[in-house]
Structure formats: structure tokens, C-alpha cells
């Protein structure tokens, strides 16, 4: 009996939203390394695109908060490669904001990006995947904020909590053709997040983490590859925690220097 490599995505098509920087960039590179055709999107063209060897991701300028634009992103992937096998809903994020004074417009934009946009793109992807004999897989990139919100993140945390429940709901409706799973990410060291972790390069923050380090984007990419692969063929509606065990409770840190 011949067993195919479990993480071989040759001939498969993957769409990564927000795939031009940070976590999404590395997720796209990882799927390229596994043999996939990859389409990434962002609101503007980046200076460089994810690549592996002589293969480079395709790019489409897309505002995933716009329903028509999100649907066109999926149509573009199918037009380019003839099918769609994996969607990674990675686009998201938010600056900190005071919940007492934040504007309704700000809240609407944060919820649109972190909850409504993943729903919209997933709807379009599901329409394609349901028509394929082997269906497809969707991975939603969430946040530990959905479970453990921090000050300044009310709108973001609420949206991410919604994304987690949305994942579980869609898993019930779209199976067995389409599997949809969620990754709870913890603290991740990226260029854009460096300033958030303090002037010491994140050394103090790292002491709160059981693993003794922050995650790096490849930790999230590896989880995406697994959830999209045949090895996760019976994993549906799951919340995979990729946060190194979370953070030590404040009461523990207060009593253990």
C-alpha cells in the first residue's frame, strides 16, 4: 500500500486572506512549500509576495469587508486554478481602544473585519467547495482574546468570540463536504506587534508564558497545514489552542517572582 505524504498539497488551491504580511504571509509560504497554488489578498499590493523556491503566491487587491469583493476573491481563485480546497481566514486585528469613549464607527469596522468578513468569505468558499467531490477545508484564525479579553480590546474580543462560535455553527451546517475549524492564537512575535510587548523586546511578557517564548508565525502556519490536511479529515468544529499553554494567572505571578 502506498501512503501519500500527509502534508502534500500539490495540485490544491489555497486562499489566505491578509496573506501579504505577518502570520498570513508565513501561512501562505508554508502552503507553497507543501505544493499548493496560493492566492493571497490585502487591500493594497505589497512590496513582496510569499514565495517558496521558484513559486510565488498570486495576489488580488481585496477588501474582505465588502461582500461583492470577497465573493470576487473566491471567483478569482477558481478562475486561476480551477478549484478551491482551503480557505484560511486570517485577515483581522485591531488597535486598542477605550470602550467608554470609542465611536460606534470604530466598533462597526472592527466587527466587520474580524467577524463579518470571515463569514462572507467562508460563504463564497463553501459554495464552491460543496460542488467538489472532495469538498474543502476552512480555517479561521482567532485569538485568545475570545476566551480571555484584555483592557482596550472590547470590540475585538467580542468579534473574535463570535468567530469562534460561528466556526462551530458552520461546522454543523456545512459538513460533511466542508470542514471548518478555528485556531486560538496567543501572543505572537511579529514585526507589527513588537511595540505592543514593551521596550525590553518582550522579555517581561515572555516570563508570563509557560513555554518560555512567544509564538512565531510558523507555529500558526503548521497548525493550518494540519487542519487543512487529510490527517485532520475527522476534525470539524474544533478550537485548536496554539498559545503555548496560555499565561500564568496573575495571582501566581504575584506570589512567585
Amino acid at each position: 500500500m502506498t501512503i501519500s505524504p500527509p502534508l502534500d498539497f500539490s495540485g490544491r488551491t489555497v486562499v489566505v486572506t491578509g496573506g501579504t504580511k505577518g502570520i498570513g504571509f508565513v501561512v501562505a509560504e508554508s502552503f507553497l512549500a507543501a505544493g499548493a497554488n496560493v492566492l493571497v489578498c490585502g487591500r493594497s499590493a505589497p512590496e513582496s509576495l510569499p514565495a517558496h523556491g521558484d513559486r510565488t503566491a498570486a495576489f488580488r487587491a481585496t477588501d474582505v469587508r465588502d461582500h461583492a469583493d470577497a465573493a470576487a476573491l473566491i471567483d478569482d481563485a477558481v478562475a486561476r486554478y480551477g478549484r478551491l480546497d482551503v480557505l484560511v481566514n486570517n485577515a483581522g486585528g485591531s488597535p486598542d481602544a477605550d470602550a467608554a469613549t470609542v465611536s460606534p464607527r470604530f466598533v462597526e469596522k472592527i466587527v466587520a473585519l474580524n467577524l463579518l468578513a470571515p463569514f462572507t468569505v467562508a460563504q463564497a468558499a463553501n459554495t464552491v467547495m460543496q460542488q467538489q467531490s472532495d469538498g474543502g477545508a476552512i480555517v479561521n484564525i482567532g485569538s485568545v482574546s475570545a476566551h480571555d479579553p484584555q483592557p482596550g480590546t472590547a470590540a475585538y474580543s467580542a468579534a473574535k468570540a463570535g468567530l469562534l462560535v460561528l466556526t462551530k455553527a458552520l461546522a454543523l451546517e456545512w459538513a460533511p463536504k466542508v470542514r471548518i475549524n478555528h485556531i486560538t492564537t496567543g501572543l505572537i512575535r511579529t514585526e507589527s506587534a513588537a511595540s505592543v510587548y514593551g521596550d525590553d523586546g518582550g522579555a517581561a511578557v515572555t516570563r508570563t508564558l509557560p513555554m518560555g517564548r512567544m509564538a512565531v508565525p510558523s507555529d500558526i502556519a503548521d497548525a493550518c497545514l494540519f487542519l487543512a490536511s487529510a490527517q485532520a479529515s475527522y476534525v470539524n468544529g474544533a478550537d485548536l489552542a496554539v498559545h503555548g499553554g496560555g499565561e500564568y494567572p496573575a495571582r501566581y505571578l504575584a506570589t512567585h517572582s
Side-chain angles (χ1 to χ4, degrees):
M1 180 176 66
T2 301
I3 300 177
S4 301
L7 299 183
D8 182 6
F9 285 85
S10 298
R12 301 292 181 173
T13 300
V14 179
V15 170
V16 182
T17 67
T20 61
K21 59 184 179 181
I23 298 168
F25 191 97
V26 177
V27 169
E29 283 187 325
S30 297
F31 275 105
L32 286 167
N37 299 311
V38 179
L39 173 63
V40 299
C41 74
R43 283 191 287 171
S44 58
E47 293 183 3
S48 61
L49 287 168
H52 178 78
D54 61 352
R55 304 175 63 249
T56 303
F59 170 77
R60 184 184 188 279
T62 305
D63 184 349
V64 291
R65 298 170 300 179
D66 180 89
H67 182 86
D69 213 9
L73 170 69
I74 300 303
D75 289 342
D76 188 354
V78 176
R80 288 173 185 266
Y81 304 117
R83 58 183 296 115
L84 175 64
D85 300 282
V86 180
L87 165 65
V88 179
N89 267 320
N90 168 74
S94 172
D96 284 357
D98 181 359
T101 58
V102 68
S103 71
R105 176 64 174 162
F106 176 89
V107 174
E108 290 169 2
K109 292 178 70 173
I110 296 307
V111 173
L113 177 61
N114 291 282
L115 175 58
L116 302 182
F119 195 174
T120 298
V121 183
Q123 280 184 315
N126 177 66
T127 298
V128 173
M129 293 173 176
Q130 291 289 347
Q131 298 171 0
Q132 298 175 163
S133 60
D134 49 357
I138 298 172
V139 181
N140 289 329
I141 305 299
S143 169
V144 71
S145 293
H147 304 269
D148 184 23
Q150 302 295 312
T153 69
Y156 175 75
S157 296
K160 286 302 189 183
L163 181 63
L164 173 57
V165 176
L166 175 66
T167 300
K168 295 177 179 292
L170 298 183
L172 297 174
E173 294 194 35
W174 294 352
K177 276 292 188 71
V178 177
R179 296 183 300 105
I180 178 165
N181 292 291
H182 179 276
I183 295 175
T184 289
T185 65
L187 303 183
I188 304 170
R189 184 178 292 281
T190 63
E191 183 177 344
S192 62
S195 61
V196 176
Y197 302 129
D199 297 333
D200 61 359
V205 173
T206 298
R207 288 194 290 273
T208 72
L209 306 175
M211 293 296 289
R213 69 171 179 87
M214 292 185 204
V216 292
S218 61
D219 293 316
I220 312 305
D222 288 344
C224 289
L225 286 168
F226 165 68
L227 290 173
S229 75
Q231 289 212 332
S233 63
Y234 202 66
V235 180
N236 185 41
D239 177 22
L240 179 58
V242 186
H243 57 31
E247 299 178 57
Y248 291 118
R251 62 182 179 275
Y252 176 88
L253 294 175
T255 56
H256 295 74
S257 58

